[in-house]
């Protein structure tokens, strides 16, 4: 029994370490990525069609100046935590946190409804409205995010040696980021590309205002964009 107990203890210890490792890897790269990583799926670029939404904190420079870097970091942490809670029901993959910006994506297949990406944005706004008192009491700031949404083909590949990361490359991400940058210019909370608009279910609770075909910084080909508001 003494030997059996030692074997069970050793087995339990190593299984606990292994499971903890898998959980941490899952958190690092996102759900559903661990097995493909182990099998080497992303050693070479994989072509995927995806939708990307870039969410950026409005008036972030003014907020950072008002709060100071420590309290501002706590604000960003709380905002990202609240957005993370919304990602689960809308099946959004968290791609990157870049300062006060968060990038989410969806793999597009025959079952994908792009409306969920717009639903997610307004669900985030509703979540912040529900927590408005908390943010005002703690930071004297009510966070609001603007968003840019686009879809297209990208490549996904594992990059880096010292620090590994699963990266997306392609014009789709650049366009989504540039669309986000147009929000202030057109007074919009969320802007979407024509590529997204044309693939939406027509029966949805939003109003789409055609902004027009606009030039995007660093890109030769212009893009048609729409402003989205609740009806």
């Amino acid at each position: 029994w003494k030997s059996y107990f030692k074997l069970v203890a050793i087995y339990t210890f190593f299984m606990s370490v292994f499971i903890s490792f898998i959980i941490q890897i899952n958190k690092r790269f996102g759900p559903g990525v661990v097995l493909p990583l182990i099998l080497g799926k992303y050693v070479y670029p994989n072509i995927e069609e995806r939708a990307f939404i870039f969410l950026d904190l409005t008036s972030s420079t003014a907020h950072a100046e008002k709060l100071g870097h420590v309290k501002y970091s706590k604000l960003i942490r709380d905002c990202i935590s609240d957005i993370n809670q919304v990602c689960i029901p809308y099946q959004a993959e968290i791609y990157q946190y870049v300062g006060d910006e968060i990038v989410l994506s969806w793999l597009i297949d025959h079952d994908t409804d792009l409306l969920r990406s717009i639903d997610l944005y307004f669900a985030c706004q509703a979540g912040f409205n529900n927590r408005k008192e908390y943010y005002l009491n703690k930071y004297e700031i009510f966070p609001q995010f603007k968003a840019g949404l686009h879809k297209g083909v990208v490549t996904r590949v594992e990059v880096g040696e010292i620090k590994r990361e699963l990266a997306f490359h392609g014009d789709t991400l650049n366009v989504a980021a540039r669309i986000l940058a147009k929000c202030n210019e057109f007074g919009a909370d969320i802007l979407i590309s024509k590529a997204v608009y044309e693939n939406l279910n027509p029966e949805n609770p939003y109003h789409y205002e055609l902004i027009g075909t606009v030039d995007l910084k660093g890109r030769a080909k212009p893009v048609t964009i729409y402003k989205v508001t609740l009806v």
Side-chain angles (χ1 to χ4, degrees):
W1 282 108
K2 188 180 292 185
S3 299
Y4 177 75
F5 174 77
K6 288 180 180 178
L7 286 172
V8 171
I10 293 170
Y11 173 81
T12 303
F13 171 76
F14 281 105
M15 285 303 296
S16 298
V17 171
F18 176 74
I19 292 171
S20 296
F21 172 75
I22 294 298
I23 290 172
Q24 292 304 315
I25 292 294
N26 205 46
K27 286 184 177 181
R28 175 66 182 84
F29 292 104
V33 177
V34 175
L35 185 58
L37 275 176
I38 293 173
L39 297 176
K41 179 179 178 180
Y42 299 112
V43 172
Y44 300 101
N46 282 256
I47 298 174
E48 299 178 352
E49 186 177 9
R50 283 186 169 266
F52 287 88
I53 186 168
F54 282 62
L55 297 166
D56 186 51
L57 180 63
T58 303
S59 304
S60 57
T61 302
H63 293 337
E65 183 180 15
K66 176 181 178 180
L67 296 176
H69 61 90
V70 175
K71 199 167 184 179
Y72 180 69
S73 292
K74 292 179 179 179
L75 169 67
I76 297 301
R77 182 188 61 190
D78 282 348
C79 289
I80 288 177
S81 177
D82 285 345
I83 293 173
N84 276 202
Q85 297 303 314
V86 180
C87 289
I88 299 170
Y90 292 97
Q91 301 175 320
E93 295 181 31
I94 300 167
Y95 172 43
Q96 278 184 336
Y97 304 118
V98 186
D100 51 29
E101 184 177 275
I102 179 170
V103 184
L104 309 174
S105 82
W106 291 262
L107 180 64
I108 296 175
D109 56 31
H110 64 281
D111 292 325
T112 303
D113 182 3
L114 284 178
L115 193 62
R116 77 177 62 164
S117 54
I118 300 175
D119 289 339
L120 177 141
Y121 172 77
F122 286 103
C124 287
Q125 295 297 78
F128 286 125
N129 284 328
N130 291 336
R131 298 244 295 162
K132 185 174 183 177
E133 186 176 347
Y134 166 81
Y135 281 102
L136 290 177
N137 288 338
K138 188 171 182 179
Y139 302 106
E140 297 181 352
I141 284 172
F142 175 54
Q144 293 179 296
F145 281 75
K146 52 185 179 288
L149 174 62
H150 182 51
K151 84 169 192 73
V153 175
V154 294
T155 56
R156 191 178 198 182
V157 64
E158 191 175 352
V159 297
E161 294 298 331
I162 297 174
K163 180 183 181 298
R164 288 193 176 274
E165 181 176 335
L166 277 179
F168 290 107
H169 299 138
D171 185 54
T172 301
L173 285 97
N174 296 329
V175 171
R178 297 295 185 265
I179 289 174
L180 168 66
K182 290 288 182 179
C183 284
N184 289 338
E185 180 179 339
F186 295 106
D189 292 326
I190 175 171
L191 293 172
I192 66 173
S193 68
K194 184 179 179 181
V196 173
Y197 175 78
E198 290 181 336
N199 285 273
L200 293 173
N201 185 332
E203 297 180 4
N204 63 75
Y206 304 111
H207 172 71
Y208 301 93
E209 177 187 342
L210 175 63
I211 299 296
T213 301
V214 299
D215 292 321
L216 301 180
K217 184 178 179 182
R219 193 173 191 268
K221 190 175 180 180
V223 173
T224 301
I225 58 176
Y226 294 78
K227 177 180 177 180
V228 185
T229 54
L230 285 169
V231 175

